[in-house]
Amino acid sequence: MSKKQPRVSENAIKRFEYSQDQIIDKPFNWGQMLRLFSYMKPYRKNLLPFSMIMVLINTAVRLIIPLLIGVYTLDRAIVNKDAKLLTTLVVIISGLYVASYIANFFRIKWMNQLGQNVIYDLRKHLFTHVQNLSHRFFDQRSAGSILVRIMNDINSLQELFTNGVINLLMDVILLIGVMIILFTLSPELTLAIMVILPIMFFISTSLRRNIRKSWQVVRLKQSKLNSHLNESIQGIRVTQSFTQEQENMAFFDGVNTENFQSWREASRKNAMFRPMVELTNAVGTAVLIWFGASLIQNESITIGEFVSFAFYLGMFWEPISRLGQVYNQLLMGMASSERIFEFLDEKPIVSQKETAIELENIQGQIEFDQVEFAYDSNRKALKGISLEMRAGQTVALVGHTGSGKTTIANLISRFYDPTSGTISIDGTDLKDVSLKSLRKQIGVVLQDTFIFSGTIMENILFGNPEASEEEAKEAARAVGANGFIERLPNGYETEVEERGNVLSVGERQLISFARALLADPKILILDEATASIDTESEQKIQNALKTLLKNRTAVIIAHRLSTIREADQIFVLDHGEIIEQGNHEQLMNLQGEYYSLVRAQFTMNTAS
Ligand SMILES: Nc1ncnc2c1ncn2[C@@H]1O[C@H](COP(=O)(O)OP(=O)(O)OP(=O)(O)O)[C@@H](O)[C@H]1O
């Protein structure tokens, strides 16, 4: 079946190019393999040795049985017509089969537990690490591509840890055991058959590099598919309102087809490995029959030895073929672990000094001294900002879009570090304090309020999980959110879906105010929503703000004239610089940039 690649516009293609997801291509790396296997360390005293003992029992039984059937049962009991020996052998062989069954049962059980545990630990480690990475990391990657590494890449290691590693041990023991027995039974026959080994070696080495690359391409395509899916679902409203479903569908089809084709290619290469091994097996068997028959004729070996030899030869190809499979699993594991370790090796760009101090009981005085900042080397977002926000003041940041308001807020929370200059709180440089203690003192209310899936109560308590439900309701009452919450069918226990789509913008904002009030931070950063709301809601939000801003330093990225007017200090930004500062009256009298901004907004408001 072939899939036709649909046509997609150039723009759409560019939109979904993820530079961070290029194929990582390094040669087979033992260090990396060892690092991966170190995740089995916690189980080295229980699950790992238990599984290995079961593997050893099982392998030993498998190695003994053909010898008992050929050399003992055929050559001794049947040829000599020894009924007693035959019965004893039947009992022993049956007993060994039962032992092998039991050993196998526990091997599978414990190996599965081992695999699941390792996957659980690895995923937990990766998630914890990613959660602590800086904003820069998330700026550069789509949520979908991060999701792929935490889910798919780790899932693909499951088979390796569940079966691969232990099978590898079993197969190596089986292979060595079978070789020794084959040589003991008939060195000439063994040597004749071993001629095929170099062919096997050639097949595996030539295919393996190829197969590894194909699996990497598969992961890349999967990551692209997930990223697209994630964006498509999150942006579905925009897609529908701009009637871009067709374009979106075409792109999805394209990514889906690429994913499908990469799988097909990788599976095709994978599928070539086993038949090749089987082909060599067939050649080996032909050599065995042809050469073995002549050895029996000149009585170099007995029929029983020949039969045992045939059994062992079958067992010889089996681990070789399975080793090929394990090798593939290792290759797939390598591709995934490269991608997992790339994330694990990612260091947060905002790091904490070992000597970092705890920021406690602050007043809330913020100072910027000659702060420069650039997100990338090409453009400066802030150019030599110096400012002072006194404790308890309400400070408004105003300016055109892209002038650097959010950047200032981001630097106060230390989501990024300034390229030069210093930022301090109560005179302490932010670089000297622990990140956790700093962020505990700061509450952030974003323009696009994030509501988590769960109840409204849970969403408010997110600000301070230690607070009681009564305190949460108190906070909601203080910001005037209780009215609409109590009118909901289940009140505070109403379930809201992720992003709170069932709530209005104003309602979401009131919930986020209650959340921030409950956290009671000394510094509050508030990105005011730009969405226009009706006068009644505007009034409610203004009243809520008054409660929220009391007794703390508030930095507001302000869009509403009513908020700006009440601010103690206003900083007017333009292209990363402060061009004016003062209170509303002072700035209006100046008749500069602020004056024109206010006039423009006033004209807009009266027009709408
Ligand atoms: N994560 C980022 N990576 C790279 N550049 C960024 C990033 N965030 C913002 N910028 C750039 O930095 C500059 C300042 O952006 P900032 O978000 O601070 O502006 P703003 O004044 O808050 O704008 P708005 O009012 O539209 O929110 C802009 O030129 C913007 O394109």
Side-chain angles (χ1 to χ4, degrees):
M1 189 173 55
S2 77
K3 298 249 184 287
K4 239 179 74 206
Q5 189 88 17
R7 272 169 47 85
V8 191
S9 77
E10 286 284 311
N11 274 346
I13 292 173
K14 282 209 197 88
R15 200 151 57 91
F16 291 101
E17 262 174 19
Y18 300 106
S19 56
Q20 293 297 325
D21 272 327
Q22 299 313 321
I23 301 176
I24 307 163
D25 185 27
K26 290 189 213 117
F28 194 92
N29 183 335
W30 282 105
Q32 188 180 318
M33 237 349 52
L34 286 179
R35 181 172 175 193
L36 192 61
F37 289 157
S38 69
Y39 281 89
M40 290 202 286
K41 235 179 172 175
Y43 309 102
R44 67 182 184 282
K45 287 194 180 141
N46 40 49
L47 286 173
L48 195 59
F50 291 171
S51 312
M52 282 186 179
I53 291 170
M54 292 303 121
V55 165
L56 288 179
I57 296 176
N58 194 33
T59 317
V61 171
R62 292 187 59 195
L63 282 173
I64 296 169
I65 289 178
L67 210 60
L68 292 179
I69 294 176
V71 178
Y72 287 87
T73 313
L74 259 176
D75 281 353
R76 308 221 175 131
I78 296 181
V79 172
N80 299 334
K81 299 202 172 88
D82 184 342
K84 204 171 148 219
L85 181 62
L86 187 66
T87 320
T88 318
L89 281 168
V90 168
V91 172
I92 294 175
I93 293 172
S94 312
L96 284 174
Y97 271 120
V98 173
S100 154
Y101 169 80
I102 296 172
N104 237 345
F105 173 81
F106 283 105
R107 174 182 69 97
I108 294 171
K109 182 179 163 189
W110 287 332
M111 272 165 45
N112 273 325
Q113 277 182 12
L114 177 73
Q116 293 296 338
N117 282 342
V118 170
I119 294 301
Y120 171 89
D121 295 343
L122 189 58
R123 185 168 284 140
K124 189 169 159 190
H125 185 192
L126 185 60
F127 180 73
T128 315
H129 182 78
V130 165
Q131 202 176 223
N132 289 322
L133 289 174
S134 310
H135 274 209
R136 171 76 40 89
F137 175 84
F138 298 97
D139 290 345
Q140 291 167 339
R141 286 169 183 82
S142 67
S145 70
I146 298 173
L147 218 80
V148 170
R149 296 204 193 187
I150 299 179
M151 293 309 298
N152 299 22
D153 280 324
I154 290 191
N155 275 353
S156 73
L157 292 175
Q158 189 156 326
E159 193 52 27
L160 180 66
F161 281 112
T162 310
N163 286 315
V165 183
I166 307 277
N167 277 348
L168 187 73
L169 175 82
M170 184 165 78
D171 290 336
V172 170
I173 299 175
L174 207 60
L175 208 58
I176 297 173
V178 168
M179 283 271 264
I180 295 173
I181 298 175
L182 283 179
F183 264 106
T184 323
L185 283 174
S186 168
E188 304 102 299
L189 202 50
T190 312
L191 283 176
I193 284 155
M194 290 303 138
V195 174
I196 303 157
L197 268 186
I199 308 173
M200 296 274 312
F201 185 75
F202 173 74
I203 294 169
S204 65
T205 45
S206 62
L207 267 180
R208 66 183 185 189
R209 198 181 145 74
N210 232 323
I211 295 175
R212 184 162 74 99
K213 274 207 166 150
S214 303
W215 284 119
Q216 283 186 326
V217 176
V218 171
R219 299 266 165 277
L220 177 70
K221 300 295 175 196
Q222 263 181 355
S223 161
K224 212 167 161 185
L225 183 64
N226 268 33
S227 302
H228 174 64
L229 214 59
N230 195 43
E231 271 197 40
S232 290
I233 292 170
Q234 290 205 25
I236 194 78
R237 288 174 178 79
V238 184
T239 306
Q240 287 178 351
S241 53
F242 283 96
T243 58
Q244 286 296 310
E245 291 94 335
Q246 200 86 26
E247 168 110 332
N248 217 20
M249 189 58 228
F251 193 85
F252 177 79
D253 225 19
V255 194
N256 202 16
T257 310
E258 280 178 24
N259 182 42
F260 168 83
Q261 283 168 343
S262 67
W263 259 102
R264 206 176 47 176
E265 180 65 15
S267 329
R268 190 180 61 81
K269 287 184 185 158
N270 220 5
M272 271 155 63
F273 205 93
R274 224 188 140 93
M276 287 238 194
V277 173
E278 268 155 25
L279 195 68
T280 0
N281 186 3
V283 178
T285 313
V287 174
L288 171 77
I289 294 169
W290 175 75
F291 194 53
S294 67
L295 287 177
I296 295 175
Q297 260 175 4
N298 59 33
E299 294 187 351
S300 295
I301 55 168
T302 64
I303 298 245
E305 283 168 346
F306 178 78
V307 169
S308 294
F309 198 98
F311 264 115
Y312 285 116
L313 192 62
M315 281 167 63
F316 179 71
W317 301 124
E318 188 197 320
I320 289 198
S321 151
R322 236 194 348 245
L323 278 175
Q325 255 179 22
V326 175
Y327 191 75
N328 278 344
Q329 278 170 6
L330 275 175
L331 294 183
M332 284 166 71
M334 285 294 282
S336 294
S337 59
E338 268 173 19
R339 293 161 59 85
I340 292 167
F341 291 149
E342 199 220 354
F343 271 20
L344 282 177
D345 291 337
E346 188 83 34
K347 299 259 179 308
I349 51 155
V350 174
S351 57
Q352 184 173 302
K353 282 186 185 166
E354 275 189 20
T355 51
I357 52 167
E358 297 293 308
L359 202 61
E360 275 169 295
N361 298 327
I362 57 161
Q363 298 294 314
Q365 160 116 350
I366 307 169
E367 248 175 275
F368 275 54
D369 184 19
Q370 287 301 319
V371 170
E372 303 244 337
F373 179 72
Y375 288 99
D376 49 58
S377 49
N378 305 330
R379 281 179 308 155
K380 277 188 183 165
L382 297 183
K383 303 171 194 159
I385 297 273
S386 292
L387 56 80
E388 194 186 318
M389 301 169 179
R390 260 173 272 140
Q393 268 194 341
T394 294
V395 174
L397 302 177
V398 295
H400 291 292
T401 180
S403 56
K405 305 180 294 288
T406 310
T407 308
I408 289 188
N410 281 338
L411 292 187
I412 296 175
S413 298
R414 239 195 121 193
F415 289 134
Y416 302 87
D417 276 335
T419 329
S420 67
T422 50
I423 304 171
S424 56
I425 290 184
D426 287 1
T428 314
D429 190 338
L430 293 192
K431 285 188 177 160
D432 295 330
V433 302
S434 92
L435 279 175
K436 206 169 171 188
S437 73
L438 167 71
R439 290 182 188 157
K440 263 198 155 159
Q441 306 282 351
I442 302 174
V444 182
V445 177
L446 297 173
Q447 191 181 98
D448 179 18
T449 311
F450 200 96
I451 301 285
F452 294 94
S453 44
T455 62
I456 291 190
M457 176 54 80
E458 282 162 356
N459 266 286
I460 298 176
L461 282 173
F462 194 83
N464 179 7
E466 268 132 51
S468 67
E469 293 203 352
E470 210 27 68
E471 286 169 316
K473 284 184 186 169
E474 186 55 47
R477 261 193 295 276
V479 296
N482 59 324
F484 91 85
I485 298 175
E486 279 158 13
R487 274 194 301 276
L488 288 169
N490 291 322
Y492 284 87
E493 293 312 312
T494 308
E495 291 276 347
V496 279
E497 288 312 311
E498 187 186 298
R499 306 189 76 78
N501 286 336
V502 291
L503 301 170
S504 77
V505 178
E507 288 166 348
R508 265 183 273 165
Q509 190 138 52
L510 287 178
I511 291 182
S512 71
F513 285 177
R515 190 194 272 169
L517 188 66
L518 193 64
D520 194 21
K522 253 316 186 206
I523 297 172
L524 182 82
I525 295 170
L526 194 145
D527 198 346
E528 215 174 42
T530 41
S532 55
I533 42 175
D534 58 79
T535 333
E536 195 192 338
S537 307
E538 165 98 24
Q539 196 52 49
K540 254 193 216 159
I541 290 190
Q542 281 312 320
N543 291 341
L545 267 182
K546 272 196 192 122
T547 316
L548 190 62
L549 306 184
K550 220 183 283 166
N551 299 329
R552 61 191 104 239
T553 314
V555 183
I556 310 180
I557 299 170
H559 297 284
R560 291 196 194 96
L561 195 54
S562 46
T563 317
I564 304 169
R565 201 176 263 159
E566 297 200 9
D568 300 307
Q569 241 198 125
I570 302 160
F571 291 103
V572 185
L573 283 144
D574 185 44
H575 292 98
E577 285 174 289
I578 295 175
I579 50 166
E580 287 170 16
Q581 75 181 78
N583 63 24
H584 176 73
E585 261 163 37
Q586 290 164 338
L587 293 180
M588 285 306 278
N589 289 340
L590 207 65
Q591 299 221 345
E593 183 65 24
Y594 179 78
Y595 178 80
S596 358
L597 272 170
V598 170
R599 292 216 30 146
Q601 197 187 28
F602 184 68
T603 325
M604 232 169 64
N605 283 353
T606 42
S608 61

